[in-house]
């Protein structure tokens, strides 16, 4: 223990020295910046454009260097609280040298010694991938073979060594137990000290362009995706930065929940965007929220609507849409001659010419016929620009007019009318589009991208798509159109709450995406008792539960849901930091809110952008997807309320939000799904 305390003291002393040096360098840069700025101000009116440009470049570069030094100092100061979390002693077979490798959130080194390695460094894979004994890692010079002679995990808090544990295994269960048994936080945290072997393989995967991850509830999918982003930003820092990585989040609320992970890893937060943000930007109309869709599905009395939603979620629907756009709509282009005359005499004139219908047909159907309509029209407008002899400063103004002329040769060009015609051909209900139904958003975006192009450029170099089960094949087709780059797509088909998905669908999706599929079947979130209860709800087999024991979930009959909830909340208010009452629909939330008014201080969060940072929240399964709570109460789980296959999925989603305690309440006859659990 004393030798480890001494090593920690040396590391902390090194950090202090590094910060001191950084601050001194920063002070010098700031002094240089002020001097340069003063010189620039004095000589501004006597300087030519080249000198002014040079001054501006020097100032910008100095400002950027100062910013990077400040970020480095802040990262070191933060890391000083817990400089490292593990040590691996590795004996190199070739050199017979033994190295002590301390692993932390970032490199700590001076000119003489490397004290701590960043967890993302190749050598640190030894900690995640191997038990004591034979091991190897991939170095820049090739594979290094050797033996792990010691694995040690540390408990360091506020710069003080509390304990360490030696283990022959990759991650000691005692350490993981301690991490998982803590009360939930309103922010997802980094998990570098407890990453498991199968998670590490996914984080460091290099071979595949697109990865599709099917993971059971609590398998760490979202954490893996964020840590993968951190790993890629570290390993490929010369190729792209945080602004080149995008997370497509289920909601702004979810974005807030995961917003601390990358900064904790020492990286800038990446771009975060929701699908609804893209849709609002492109379609410029009110959109039905996902919560409203779920309410509609679970209160629908007309099976026709449900059948249409299911059909629009299928590969068959996507095939029909693409056939319609390529074979029907694209063939409607019927051009007539366009005659362009010179300007009035006395002004600069353009040559008169006729852009014949036949010439346009050849360009549209033959030369550019393999492209979407938008690209064909765009290239034809470029052709016109060239023929017309426009000056460069005129192109931006005139080209859109040329495109508008060409679009008039279609009988319809309005996106919403095109969609209505397509639906009519399939015998689907005619939408009003005053407020766009949730299931119509993706088809409209595909139609717009194909026929007119999008208003914005969304291109990045890496995309993370979470909750893949909430998206349809039409969504994924659209994502591939706007993001032609590597992706990691994560989700759980068992947590789909508006349709039923099968393993066959997962295989079809993987083929469509040309993706490597990885299955994560070990769950870490909940206690073993809660996990097994949830698996029994839906008959899920083959799940490996981390052996963290807790209380059995309770299924409680009551004469008053309101009184039962008040009693359960008050019994546990000093035990857990976060309790959630998770309802089936938003209308159920409204009903329960009125019942609990004046009896409990509860925050209602349904499909909103608010944080879950309250001791007691009232929400829906749909809103709370991806979030976890210490204690979950699910009301109204009666036979009449939870009876269909979709109800079963919703109950599964709600139940898997619980970390430590799950309680289910019913009044009359309990749901048949509870008899299986």
């Amino acid at each position: 223990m004393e030798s480890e305390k001494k090593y920690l003291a040396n590391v902390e002393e090194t950090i202090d020295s590094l910060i001191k040096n950084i601050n001194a360098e920063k002070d010098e840069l700031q002094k240089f910046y002020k001097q340069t700025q003063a010189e620039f101000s004095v000589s501004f009116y006597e300087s030519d454009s080249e000198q002014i440009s040079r001054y501006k470049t020097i100032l910008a570069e100095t400002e950027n260097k100062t910013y990077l030094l400040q970020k480095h100092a802040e990262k070191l100061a933060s890391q000083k609280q817990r400089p490292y979390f593990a040590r691996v002693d590795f004996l190199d077979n070739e050199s017979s040298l033994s190295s002590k490798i301390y692993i932390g959130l970032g490199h700590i080194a001076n000119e003489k010694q490397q004290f701590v390695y960043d967890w993302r460094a190749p050598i640190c894979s030894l900690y995640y991938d191997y038990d004591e004994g034979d091991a190897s890692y991939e170095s820049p010079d090739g594979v290094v073979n050797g033996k792990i002679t010691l694995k040690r995990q540390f408990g360091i808090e506020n710069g003080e060594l509390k304990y360490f544990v030696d283990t022959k295994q990759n991650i000691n269960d005692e350490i993981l137990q301690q991490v998982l048994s803590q009360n939930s936080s309103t922010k997802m945290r980094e998990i570098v000290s407890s990453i498991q072997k199968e998670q590490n393989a996914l984080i460091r995967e290099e071979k595949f362009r697109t990865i599709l991850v099917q993971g059971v509830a609590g398998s760490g999918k979202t954490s893996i995706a964020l840590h993968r982003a951190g790993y890629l930003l570290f390993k490929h820092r010369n190729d792209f930065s945080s602004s080149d990585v995008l997370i497509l989040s289920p909601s702004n609320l979810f974005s807030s929940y995961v917003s601390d992970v990358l900064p904790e890893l020492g990286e800038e937060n990446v771009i975060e965007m929701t699908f609804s943000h893209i849709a609002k930007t492109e379609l410029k109309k009110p959109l039905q929220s996902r919560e409203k869709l779920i309410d509609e599905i679970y209160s629908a009395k007309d099976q026709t609507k449900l059948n249409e939603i299911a059909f629009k979620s299928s590969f068959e629907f996507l095939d029909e849409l693409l056939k319609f756009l390529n074979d029907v709509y694209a063939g409607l282009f019927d051009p007539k001659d366009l005659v362009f005359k010179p300007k009035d005499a006395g002004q600069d004139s353009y040559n008169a010419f006729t852009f014949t219908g036949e010439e346009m047909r050849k360009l549209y159907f033959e030369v550019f016929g393999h492209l979407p309509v938008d690209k064909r029209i765009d290239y034809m407008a470029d052709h016109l620009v060239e023929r017309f002899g426009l000056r460069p400063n005129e192109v931006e103004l005139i080209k859109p007019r040329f495109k508008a002329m060409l679009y008039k040769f279609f009988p319809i060009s309005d996106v919403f009318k095109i969609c209505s015609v397509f639906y009519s051909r399939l015998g689907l209900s005619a939408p009003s589009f005053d407020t766009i139904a949730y299931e119509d958003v993706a088809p409209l975006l595909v139609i717009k991208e194909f026929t007119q192009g999008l208003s914005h450029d969304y291109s990045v170099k890496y995309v993370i798509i979470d909750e893949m089960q909430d998206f349809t094949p039409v969504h994924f087709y659209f994502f591939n159109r706007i993001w032609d780059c590597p992706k990691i797509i994560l989700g759980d088909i068992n947590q789909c709450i508006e349709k039923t998905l099968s393993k066959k669908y997962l295989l079809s999706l993987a083929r469509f995406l040309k993706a490597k599929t990885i299955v994560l079947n070990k769950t870490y979130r909940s206690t073993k008792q809660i996990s097994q209860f949830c698996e029994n709800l839906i008959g899920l087999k083959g799940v490996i539960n981390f052996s963290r024991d807790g209380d059995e979930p309770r299924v409680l009959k009551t004469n008053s849901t309101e009184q039962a909830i008040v009693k359960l909340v008050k019994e546990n208010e000093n035990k857990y930091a976060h309790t959630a009452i998770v309802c089936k629909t938003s209308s159920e939330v409204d009903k329960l809110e009125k019942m609990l008014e004046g009896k409990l201080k509860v925050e209602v969060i349904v499909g909103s952008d608010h944080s879950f940072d309250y001791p007691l929240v009232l929400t829906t399964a749909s809103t709370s997807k991806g979030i976890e709570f210490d204690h979950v109460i699910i009301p109204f789980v009666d036979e009449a309320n939870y009876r269909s296959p979709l109800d079963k999925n919703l109950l599964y989603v709600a139940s898997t939000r619980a970390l430590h305690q799950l309680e289910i309440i019913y009044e009359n006859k309990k749901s048949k799904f509870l008899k299986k659990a």
Side-chain angles (χ1 to χ4, degrees):
M1 178 65 99
E2 287 308 311
S3 64
E4 290 292 5
K5 283 184 177 180
K6 186 177 178 181
Y7 190 85
L8 178 59
N10 287 339
V11 173
E12 290 171 343
E13 190 178 315
T14 300
I15 291 173
D16 289 337
S17 177
L18 290 169
I19 292 173
K20 183 179 177 182
N21 292 340
I22 288 170
N23 287 335
E25 187 179 350
K26 195 174 66 172
D27 290 343
E28 286 299 314
L29 279 173
Q30 287 171 335
K31 191 187 298 181
F32 174 75
Y33 183 89
K34 287 177 183 177
Q35 289 172 347
T36 307
Q37 198 172 42
E39 288 174 16
F40 183 32
S41 299
V42 169
S43 62
F44 180 80
Y45 292 105
E46 298 170 6
S47 301
D48 58 26
S49 59
E50 188 177 331
Q51 289 170 320
I52 290 171
S53 177
R54 188 165 64 249
Y55 269 119
K56 286 183 176 178
T57 300
I58 291 169
L59 288 170
E61 287 176 350
T62 305
E63 204 168 22
N64 186 53
K65 285 177 184 175
T66 306
Y67 170 77
L68 293 174
L69 285 171
Q70 177 64 29
K71 295 299 290 182
H72 190 198
E74 288 172 1
K75 181 179 178 181
L76 285 169
S78 173
Q79 196 174 347
K80 188 180 174 184
Q81 304 302 306
R82 188 181 62 144
Y84 48 86
F85 53 83
R87 168 184 158 187
V88 175
D89 289 5
F90 182 71
L91 180 64
D92 187 325
N93 284 347
E94 189 170 327
S95 65
S96 298
L97 292 175
S98 182
S99 305
K100 294 178 182 177
I101 303 150
Y102 286 80
I103 303 168
L105 283 173
H107 284 307
I108 300 172
N110 58 23
E111 62 280 358
K112 295 178 181 177
Q113 184 179 351
Q114 177 88 33
F115 288 94
V116 178
Y117 289 84
D118 190 298
W119 67 279
R120 296 165 289 189
I123 198 169
C124 296
S125 62
L126 292 168
Y127 168 69
Y128 298 108
D129 291 344
Y130 293 98
D131 299 338
E132 221 176 76
D134 291 339
S136 64
Y137 69 93
E138 188 83 37
S139 80
D141 298 324
V143 177
V144 179
N145 295 298
K147 286 185 174 59
I148 293 174
T149 58
L150 176 74
K151 293 194 74 172
R152 181 168 287 174
Q153 292 167 262
F154 299 96
I156 300 174
E157 296 174 16
N158 299 319
E160 184 183 346
L161 179 60
K162 300 290 187 182
Y163 62 87
F164 65 77
V165 177
D166 288 348
T167 174
K168 295 181 184 298
Q169 299 173 334
N170 62 322
I171 304 291
N172 186 273
D173 275 0
E174 291 176 30
I175 302 287
L176 193 51
Q177 285 272 16
Q178 187 175 20
V179 171
L180 297 175
S181 63
Q182 295 171 356
N183 277 341
S184 65
S185 167
T186 56
K187 296 282 190 180
M188 181 178 281
R189 319 304 304 187
E190 54 83 8
I191 59 164
V192 292
S193 63
S194 57
I195 292 170
Q196 302 295 288
K197 184 175 181 178
E198 74 277 8
Q199 296 172 332
N200 185 55
L202 185 45
I203 288 167
R204 296 174 189 258
E205 172 65 65
E206 292 284 350
K207 295 177 184 175
F208 288 87
R209 178 178 167 84
T210 298
I211 302 171
L212 179 64
V213 182
Q214 159 60 32
V216 295
S219 56
K221 297 181 292 294
T222 304
S223 284
I224 290 167
L226 292 167
H227 285 71
R228 176 164 175 76
Y231 170 77
L232 292 172
L233 288 169
F234 172 82
K235 180 161 186 186
H236 303 287
R237 54 189 173 276
N238 295 326
D239 298 326
F240 59 81
S241 66
S242 57
S243 61
D244 295 316
V245 180
L246 180 140
I247 299 175
L248 189 71
S249 295
S251 66
N252 290 329
L253 190 151
F254 185 82
S255 296
S256 171
Y257 177 62
V258 302
S259 61
D260 282 357
V261 175
L262 282 169
E264 285 181 352
L265 297 176
E267 302 292 346
E268 299 281 346
N269 257 325
V270 299
I271 302 167
E272 292 182 30
M273 191 180 294
T274 62
F275 177 69
S276 64
H277 170 79
I278 298 172
K280 286 173 186 174
T281 301
E282 296 296 333
L283 300 176
K284 296 179 172 56
K285 283 200 174 191
L287 308 178
Q288 181 192 40
S289 69
R290 183 170 166 73
E291 282 294 338
K292 292 292 183 187
L293 170 73
I294 300 303
D295 281 359
E296 197 173 293
I297 288 172
Y298 283 87
S299 59
K301 301 200 169 38
D302 180 9
Q303 188 62 33
T304 303
K305 174 71 173 175
L306 295 180
N307 291 343
E308 288 194 356
I309 291 172
F311 177 56
K312 289 174 185 177
S313 300
S314 68
F315 278 102
E316 182 186 354
F317 176 79
L318 173 61
D319 289 342
E320 292 290 346
L321 176 57
L322 296 181
K323 273 193 278 186
F324 170 77
L325 291 173
N326 285 294
D327 301 342
V328 179
Y329 182 77
L332 297 177
F333 185 67
D334 187 18
K336 305 292 186 290
D337 292 356
L338 286 174
V339 179
F340 296 93
K341 296 180 180 179
K343 290 185 177 180
D344 295 336
Q347 298 180 5
D348 292 339
S349 63
Y350 302 115
N351 293 325
F353 71 92
T354 299
F355 196 22
T356 67
E358 190 53 43
E359 187 180 1
M360 283 186 266
R361 280 191 189 88
K362 185 170 183 180
L363 286 171
Y364 180 88
F365 287 106
E366 295 179 26
V367 179
F368 304 130
H370 61 290
L371 298 171
V373 165
D374 164 60
K375 294 296 182 189
R376 300 189 210 186
I377 298 298
D378 194 63
Y379 289 154
M380 289 170 71
D382 285 337
H383 179 79
L384 261 175
V385 165
E386 189 177 334
R387 286 273 297 274
F388 217 63
L390 290 174
R391 290 181 286 268
N393 62 332
E394 296 173 315
V395 172
E396 192 174 333
L397 181 65
I398 303 299
K399 184 179 173 181
R401 296 184 187 179
F402 287 160
K403 291 180 73 170
M405 290 178 194
L406 295 171
Y407 273 114
K408 286 182 178 176
F409 294 129
F410 289 95
I412 52 171
S413 57
D414 178 80
V415 168
F416 301 98
K417 288 180 181 175
I418 295 169
C419 190
S420 294
V421 170
F422 170 58
Y423 282 4
S424 175
R425 288 171 63 91
L426 291 179
L428 298 172
S429 303
S432 70
F433 293 132
D434 293 331
T435 295
I436 303 172
Y438 187 88
E439 68 273 16
D440 294 330
V441 174
L444 283 166
L445 286 171
V446 169
I447 291 169
K448 185 181 182 195
E449 195 271 338
F450 183 89
T451 61
Q452 299 175 11
L454 301 178
S455 309
H456 291 74
D457 179 7
Y458 299 95
S459 55
V460 289
K461 294 181 180 177
Y462 195 81
V463 176
I464 297 167
I465 300 175
D466 207 353
E467 302 290 352
M468 60 92 172
Q469 70 277 0
D470 293 352
F471 298 116
T472 69
V474 180
H475 285 97
F476 285 112
Y477 174 83
F478 178 71
F479 297 155
N480 277 346
R481 295 291 304 171
I482 63 173
W483 295 313
D484 182 21
C485 64
K487 305 175 188 71
I488 183 168
I489 300 166
L490 313 99
D492 179 12
I493 57 174
N494 301 302
Q495 294 185 63
C496 186
I497 56 179
E498 70 265 29
K499 54 190 179 289
T500 300
L501 297 179
S502 65
K503 290 181 180 178
K504 183 179 177 182
Y505 169 81
L506 199 63
L507 291 171
S508 298
L509 183 59
R511 279 197 300 270
F512 177 72
L513 296 169
K514 298 186 173 81
K516 175 184 180 180
T517 303
I518 293 177
V519 177
L520 300 175
N521 60 3
K522 188 170 184 179
T523 178
Y524 301 94
R525 175 187 293 144
S526 308
T527 62
K528 182 173 66 177
Q529 287 76 10
I530 293 173
S531 295
Q532 289 175 341
F533 177 89
C534 296
E535 290 148 26
N536 290 336
L537 274 176
I538 61 171
L540 194 57
K541 305 293 184 186
V543 178
I544 302 168
N545 296 296
F546 183 73
S547 56
R548 179 170 69 87
D549 283 319
D551 295 333
E552 290 287 347
R554 296 201 294 169
V555 178
L556 306 170
K557 181 175 173 59
T558 182
N559 294 322
S560 168
T561 297
E562 163 202 331
Q563 290 177 12
I565 289 174
V566 171
K567 182 172 181 289
L568 291 173
V569 168
K570 290 189 172 177
E571 280 177 357
N572 291 286
E573 61 186 350
N574 296 320
K575 188 176 179 183
Y576 299 122
H578 298 102
T579 293
I581 305 166
V582 184
C583 294
K584 181 178 174 182
T585 60
S586 58
S587 56
E588 203 172 90
V589 166
D590 294 339
K591 172 184 171 183
L592 198 52
E593 183 185 12
K594 291 185 177 71
M595 291 169 64
L596 296 174
E597 190 174 358
K599 299 176 179 67
L600 288 173
K601 187 177 179 182
V602 59
E603 191 71 22
V604 176
I605 301 174
V606 176
S608 70
D609 294 341
H610 295 117
S611 165
F612 278 112
D613 193 9
Y614 300 94
L616 179 63
V617 298
L618 177 57
T619 186
T620 62
S622 177
T623 299
S624 65
K625 248 200 319 187
I627 316 293
E628 54 192 34
F629 306 93
D630 301 310
H631 176 206
V632 169
I633 301 169
I634 309 174
F636 308 119
V637 190
D638 295 77
E639 175 64 30
N641 199 26
Y642 284 86
R643 62 187 186 280
S644 72
L646 288 182
D647 294 331
K648 180 171 65 173
N649 284 9
L650 201 72
L651 184 58
Y652 174 74
V653 169
S655 300
T656 53
R657 300 309 94 208
L659 284 171
H660 312 303
Q661 181 75 55
L662 173 63
E663 290 166 319
I664 294 174
I665 303 169
Y666 69 99
E667 286 192 5
N668 300 308
K669 185 179 179 184
K670 69 180 176 182
S671 167
K672 61 185 177 183
F673 305 127
L674 296 176
K675 294 167 188 173
K676 298 177 182 178

